[in-house]
Amino acid sequence: MLEDGVFYAANKLYGLNFEKRTDLPVYHPTVTTYTVFDRDGSELGLFYFDPFQRDNKRGGAWMSNFVDQSKLLGTKPVIYNVLNIPKAADGEPQLVSFDNVGTLFHEFGHALHGFFADQRYASLSGTATARDFVEYPSQVNEMWATDPAILANYAKHHETGETIPAELIAKIEEAATFNQGYALGEVVEAALLDMKWHALTPAQARAIDTPEKVSAFEAKALSELGLEVALVPPRYRSPYFNHIFSNPAGYSSGYYSYLWTEMLDRDSREWFAENGGLTRENGDHYRATVLSRGGTQDYFDMYRTFAGREPDVTPMLKARGLIADDGGSDANAAADGALPPQTVGTN
């Protein structure tokens, strides 16, 4: 999955090559390391891959840097991806669920954002971007998990060697549109509730000092928004809305970012499909206009430079099955229509 899927896609799109290392220290025996070589053969950075569940390991999936890219400091990126795939018993084949395949492509999308960093200051380098932009490149990378050329190279039956049938992928993608009205509704509610909480003044917030007052504020806020909680409750209720109150990743007033980046992601998939899909020309363009820019540009300007137009919400609504697909070009949409819990640095 990693070498014949994720790395293979990165080679086709960006000309990257990967060399497995056995001479570098690792923090667990199941962690593997690779030198990442750029399209011109130069060393781009180091990649650490930590895929399996362990009893003492936090759940979820994430990417982060051991070393940030910085021209000022003369450092190249050292990046790790963490997943929690159940490890097969000794002697058994290591099988991976479709969801975990998508998660690996997602997290490696973050890694690419870090590897292609080309900034003077680490504070603007790679994934050091706004909360409502950082998930965008990683979500785009998920699309290649179901690209026919990539699937043919990695998605093979462990006994027969048969490539996964296109018909099965189509069924998975179609099934992903089930109940999306509810799924979208609960996330929109949570995002708007987040906004309501963070629009309070300090004095107003201090006055909501009991569980009863918290619940009352939530009910009032959702009512004012015209949302019917009995029909579709928000994904997270206020007493356990960890993302916006205690999560170190800092979602405060930014939970909407999942939907915003999904919109950019789906529109970008449309752009790739309209321009020939999996090609080096497209990969190099995306790298030059988005992945290498870090936090150095206005994000609207960055997107316009990439796509040549404003972003459009229509591909996202099509992918979720909320409006009819008129046979447009978003044929390789990833199957995971639900919002993933993982982020660049934590889950």
Side-chain angles (χ1 to χ4, degrees):
M1 180 181 72
L2 178 68
E3 296 185 353
D4 295 337
V6 172
F7 288 175
Y8 182 74
N11 174 264
K12 294 299 181 185
L13 279 167
Y14 308 110
L16 302 187
N17 287 290
F18 302 83
E19 179 183 306
K20 194 170 186 178
R21 300 286 296 271
T22 58
D23 59 325
L24 297 175
V26 293
Y27 55 87
H28 191 272
T30 60
V31 175
T32 53
T33 58
Y34 295 84
T35 298
V36 184
F37 293 96
D38 207 348
R39 54 197 172 192
D40 62 359
S42 63
E43 290 191 12
L44 192 59
L46 292 174
F47 178 63
Y48 282 67
F49 182 53
D50 181 359
F52 298 119
Q53 285 180 346
R54 296 189 293 275
D55 290 341
N56 63 344
K57 184 178 179 182
R58 186 183 56 161
W62 62 94
M63 164 271 184
S64 194
N65 286 50
F66 288 128
V67 179
D68 294 316
Q69 179 273 334
S70 169
K71 291 181 179 178
L72 177 66
L73 302 175
T75 54
K76 294 182 179 181
V78 179
I79 291 172
Y80 61 93
N81 276 173
V82 178
L83 283 77
N84 268 278
I85 297 171
K87 196 172 190 312
D90 291 344
E92 295 294 321
Q94 181 59 60
L95 305 181
V96 179
S97 70
F98 190 79
D99 283 347
N100 277 323
V101 170
T103 298
L104 178 52
F105 274 84
H106 177 101
E107 297 304 336
F108 198 74
H110 285 308
L112 289 170
H113 203 180
F115 281 126
F116 291 148
D118 190 27
Q119 276 69 56
R120 178 171 176 79
Y121 301 107
S123 60
L124 296 172
S125 177
T127 58
T129 66
R131 166 58 58 192
D132 60 3
F133 191 81
V134 71
E135 293 296 326
Y136 157 53
S138 55
Q139 289 177 336
V140 168
N141 203 57
E142 291 180 40
M143 71 180 290
W144 307 116
T146 52
D147 183 274
I150 306 302
L151 277 169
N153 202 59
Y154 83 91
K156 299 177 181 180
H157 195 283
H158 72 283
E159 293 176 338
T160 67
E162 179 187 4
T163 301
I164 189 170
E167 295 80 7
L168 179 56
I169 295 296
K171 287 181 179 179
I172 294 172
E173 292 179 344
E174 184 176 357
T177 64
F178 173 73
N179 214 23
Q180 282 298 316
Y182 186 98
L184 181 62
E186 65 174 356
V187 177
V188 168
E189 281 185 282
L192 293 173
L193 179 61
D194 172 22
M195 294 281 192
K196 284 283 192 178
W197 274 113
H198 287 91
L200 293 173
T201 66
Q204 289 171 328
R206 284 193 296 269
I208 305 174
D209 55 2
T210 67
E212 293 77 15
K213 290 180 181 179
V214 168
S215 296
F217 173 82
E218 177 183 285
K220 181 175 182 290
L222 292 174
S223 176
E224 289 173 351
L225 292 165
L227 301 172
E228 178 52 66
V229 178
L231 182 63
V232 181
R235 175 178 252 192
Y236 301 107
R237 308 306 289 262
S238 296
Y240 57 87
F241 205 164
N242 186 58
H243 288 73
I244 66 169
F245 288 122
S246 62
N247 191 292
Y251 284 86
S252 300
S253 75
Y255 189 69
Y256 74 91
S257 61
Y258 283 109
L259 293 174
W260 181 254
T261 53
E262 182 188 354
M263 182 272 292
L264 296 176
D265 156 38
R266 293 294 178 174
D267 193 50
S268 296
R269 299 182 194 212
E270 191 88 350
W271 181 92
F272 272 99
E274 290 170 351
N275 288 275
L278 185 76
T279 69
R280 273 293 305 280
E281 182 179 5
N282 286 343
D284 287 346
H285 176 69
Y286 191 59
R287 172 178 178 173
T289 56
V290 176
L291 294 179
S292 65
R293 298 297 89 208
T296 62
Q297 295 180 1
D298 178 271
Y299 301 113
F300 265 119
D301 292 342
M302 192 184 300
Y303 193 85
R304 290 188 194 100
T305 301
F306 157 64
R309 54 173 170 75
E310 300 284 340
D312 181 7
V313 72
T314 304
M316 170 185 163
L317 297 177
K318 286 182 180 179
R320 282 180 171 263
L322 299 177
I323 62 174
D325 189 341
D326 58 4
S329 54
D330 191 21
N332 292 319
D336 186 9
L339 293 175
Q342 65 269 16
T343 72
V344 59
T346 186
N347 72 319

